[in-house]
Amino acid sequence: MNPRVSFFEIEPDYVLRITFKNGETRQFDTKPYLDCSDFFRELRDEAYFQKAHISGGTIEWPRGQDFCPDTLYELGIPTTACRFGTVEKV
């Protein structure tokens, strides 16, 4: 089992910067998921996207959209810092 979400920030262009309970920080790009089903399509509304919160160790939106914490961790890009829209890999 992968670590769960302890903190996150919403970055431009539907990217989540996530800190996990093990102290690692990763960036997860939600854009590829936003048009793949009606379930996620609502997240394209930027005001609604901003309503994300932590629930059950993952990130969730008011109408139940969420990503499995394992998906966030395994597909997230490990980062040490973000500079000018680029990601530095660890």
Side-chain angles (χ1 to χ4, degrees):
M1 182 165 77
N2 291 312
R4 300 306 184 224
V5 175
S6 64
F7 177 79
F8 76 96
E9 295 175 298
I10 296 173
E11 296 193 335
D13 212 19
Y14 303 98
V15 172
L16 301 171
R17 183 176 175 89
I18 306 163
T19 301
F20 293 89
K21 291 194 181 231
N22 67 355
E24 289 183 56
T25 300
R26 295 177 182 232
Q27 281 193 323
F28 182 79
D29 184 358
T30 65
K31 283 189 308 299
Y33 302 91
L34 301 184
D35 289 324
C36 70
S37 72
D38 289 338
F39 184 67
F40 285 117
R41 200 163 285 129
E42 186 174 23
L43 299 180
R44 281 218 165 268
D45 178 335
E46 290 183 29
Y48 183 72
F49 193 83
Q50 294 290 324
K51 294 181 180 183
H53 61 278
I54 295 174
S55 177
T58 193
I59 298 170
E60 181 179 64
W61 285 264
R63 290 189 210 27
Q65 298 96 334
D66 66 357
F67 291 94
C68 173
D70 292 331
T71 299
L72 296 173
Y73 185 80
E74 291 174 10
L75 299 182
I77 299 169
T79 62
T80 55
C82 294
R83 294 186 185 153
F84 309 108
T86 60
V87 176
E88 290 181 16
K89 293 184 181 177
V90 176

